[in-house]
């Protein structure tokens, strides 16, 4: 499905029972809401999300797409970028979303990233290891929540803030090493 530039609203459950729908392209900068209510039972089948050049805000649009393996952003987009299927802000200082079902077992956060966004890795159950670069200063709320395959994590010295439930429900996590500059750890 490709949503054109002038689409503003889509009715609730508009794509119910579209189980063969695997790719969604968003070209509209004006969509008011998009997610679980629109794609309801189909959202887990969508594996590819393409973000057009005119999209300026995604809000929590893609969080309900539990089957995502890749997020692609048009190179002309002024707000977002993607690299190897991972969503960042334009200048790659914030990692916004690592797709839920991306099949890589490990991931190295690029040196340009200073912030790991809220729910950035949430429910990425295939990840066994994440290397957080020394450039990262903050880790958002629920950033690694429900990453059940993570066994250990090292928070580098540059991190000063760790958000609420950043590692909540990480049942496989057995070792956490905190950097020297951590000042705030959420509940």
């Amino acid at each position: 499905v490709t949503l054109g530039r002038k689409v503003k609203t889509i009715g609730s459950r508009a794509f119910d029972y579209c189980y063969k729908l695997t790719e969604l392209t968003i070209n509209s900068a004006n969509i008011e809401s998009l997610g679980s209510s629109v794609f309801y039972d189909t959202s887990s089948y969508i594996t590819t999300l393409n973000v057009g050049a005119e999209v300026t805000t995604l809000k929590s649009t893609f969080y309900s797409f539990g089957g995502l393996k890749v997020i692609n952003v048009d190179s002309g987009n002024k707000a977002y970028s993607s690299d190897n299927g991972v969503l960042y802000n334009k200048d790659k200082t914030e990692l916004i979303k690592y797709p839920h079902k991306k099949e890589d077992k490990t991931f190295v956060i690029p040196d340009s990233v200073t912030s790991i966004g809220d729910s950035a890795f949430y429910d990425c159950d295939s990840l066994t290891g994440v290397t957080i670069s020394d450039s990262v200063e903050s880790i958002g709320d629920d950033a690694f929540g429900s990453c059940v395959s993570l066994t250990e994590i090292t928070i580098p010295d540059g991190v000063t803030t760790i958000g609420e439930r950043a590692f909540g429900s990480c049942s496989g996590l057995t070792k956490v090493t905190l950097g020297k500059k951590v000042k705030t750890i959420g509940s």
Side-chain angles (χ1 to χ4, degrees):
V1 169
T2 299
L3 302 177
R5 295 181 311 156
K6 294 184 179 184
V7 174
K8 291 185 180 180
T9 60
I10 299 174
S12 181
R13 299 177 82 161
F15 295 96
D16 264 11
Y17 308 110
C18 296
Y19 301 128
K20 292 186 180 185
L21 176 60
T22 60
E23 187 169 346
L24 173 64
T25 300
I26 303 171
N27 288 318
S28 175
N30 300 313
I31 288 182
E32 293 172 5
S33 71
L34 182 66
S36 60
S37 66
V38 173
F39 290 92
Y40 192 61
D41 64 350
T42 308
S43 62
S44 63
Y45 295 94
I46 296 172
T47 59
T48 303
L49 176 63
N50 301 308
V51 179
E54 294 187 26
V55 175
T56 56
T57 182
L58 288 170
K59 298 181 185 171
S60 60
T61 296
F62 48 85
Y63 289 112
S64 64
F65 298 122
L68 277 182
K69 292 182 178 182
V70 63
I71 301 170
N72 299 310
V73 178
D74 186 286
S75 61
N77 189 296
K78 293 181 180 175
Y80 300 103
S81 63
S82 63
D83 185 13
N84 197 25
V86 179
L87 181 67
Y88 301 89
N89 65 344
K90 185 62 177 180
D91 59 2
K92 288 178 73 173
T93 57
E94 180 182 8
L95 190 153
I96 297 171
K97 186 65 184 159
Y98 185 94
H100 289 87
K101 297 300 178 191
K102 190 168 172 56
E103 295 172 350
D104 298 346
K105 297 290 182 200
T106 60
F107 182 71
V108 177
I109 295 174
D111 290 337
S112 62
V113 173
T114 59
S115 172
I116 299 171
D118 293 347
S119 302
F121 290 89
Y122 190 85
D123 202 26
C124 293
D125 55 13
S126 67
L127 275 176
T128 59
V130 175
T131 302
I132 301 173
S133 68
D134 291 335
S135 60
V136 173
E137 298 169 2
S138 66
I139 298 172
D141 295 346
D142 298 304
F144 294 91
S146 295
C147 289
V148 296
S149 296
L150 275 180
T151 57
E152 69 178 73
I153 194 95
T154 298
I155 309 296
D157 288 340
V159 174
T160 60
T161 304
I162 300 172
E164 303 281 323
R165 302 165 309 279
F167 297 94
S169 299
C170 290
S171 56
L173 195 59
T174 58
K175 181 179 179 184
V176 176
T177 304
L178 293 177
K180 297 174 184 175
K181 294 183 182 178
V182 174
K183 294 179 182 175
T184 306
I185 300 175
S187 64

